[in-house]
Amino acid sequence: MDESKINAIEMKHLRRIAGKTRWDKVKNEDIRVITKQEPIIERIKKKQLEWYGHVRRMKTSRITKKVMEARSLTTRRRGRPRRKWINQIQEIGRERGKTLEEMRLMLRNRREWKNWIQEEPESAPDT
């Protein structure tokens, strides 16, 4: 996911909604306060975690779960391995202070999982 491009487009639209231009030299954080919007990247990450928890709790007979847990029987091609979706989930968990195994244990309790997803992670300042 190319976060910088997504953030740039998001801020372009939020500035337009707020009626501000770059020449007004209003900080991105202030634009977010004016428009009352959380960063779209955070919303995407929350939705990815919600989907991960949903699929992990599915019965093993469901096709969606089978696809997520499927492993290729062929050898991979030369070069850098392709990025897998589970790696993205693992990275989001690491940003929030949990390992993949800790997340698997936590998502058994739906309420605890939902509360953890809704928590605001400590993130770098938005520029």
Side-chain angles (χ1 to χ4, degrees):
M1 181 166 45
D2 197 355
E3 292 184 21
S4 63
K5 288 183 181 181
I6 293 173
N7 284 331
I9 293 295
E10 178 190 18
M11 289 313 302
K12 177 182 175 183
H13 291 285
L14 289 179
R15 283 181 188 283
R16 187 154 186 188
I17 290 168
K20 304 290 182 187
T21 66
R22 301 260 328 214
W23 289 350
D24 296 330
K25 296 189 179 186
V26 179
K27 292 182 179 181
N28 289 349
E29 301 93 39
D30 298 337
I31 296 291
R32 287 196 191 284
V33 169
I34 291 168
T35 58
K36 299 175 183 151
Q37 295 292 314
E38 72 173 323
I40 196 165
I41 295 295
E42 289 307 313
R43 290 185 65 199
I44 290 169
K45 289 178 180 180
K46 285 178 183 179
K47 289 297 180 185
Q48 286 176 332
L49 288 173
E50 285 176 9
W51 178 250
Y52 174 69
H54 177 67
V55 173
R56 287 292 301 179
R57 284 189 297 270
M58 284 181 181
K59 293 180 181 176
T60 54
S61 60
R62 301 273 305 268
I63 190 75
T64 309
K65 186 157 185 173
K66 286 180 182 180
V67 168
M68 188 174 99
E69 294 177 345
R71 300 288 176 248
S72 176
L73 300 175
T74 62
T75 57
R76 69 175 187 84
R77 295 169 45 181
R78 281 180 47 188
R80 186 179 74 192
R82 289 190 165 239
R83 188 168 171 87
K84 298 175 188 164
W85 185 75
I86 194 71
N87 295 350
Q88 178 71 24
I89 297 299
Q90 194 171 11
E91 188 177 305
I92 295 169
R94 210 177 1 236
E95 288 173 5
R96 292 168 165 260
K98 298 282 185 196
T99 65
L100 196 58
E101 192 56 40
E102 289 172 332
M103 289 192 300
R104 285 181 181 154
L105 292 173
M106 185 193 316
L107 65 81
R108 292 179 185 167
N109 182 343
R110 207 179 214 152
R111 194 168 282 141
E112 181 183 359
W113 179 251
K114 184 116 177 155
N115 289 338
W116 181 71
I117 290 174
Q118 296 305 321
E119 287 176 6
E120 290 297 320
E122 297 82 30
S123 61
D126 194 21
T127 56

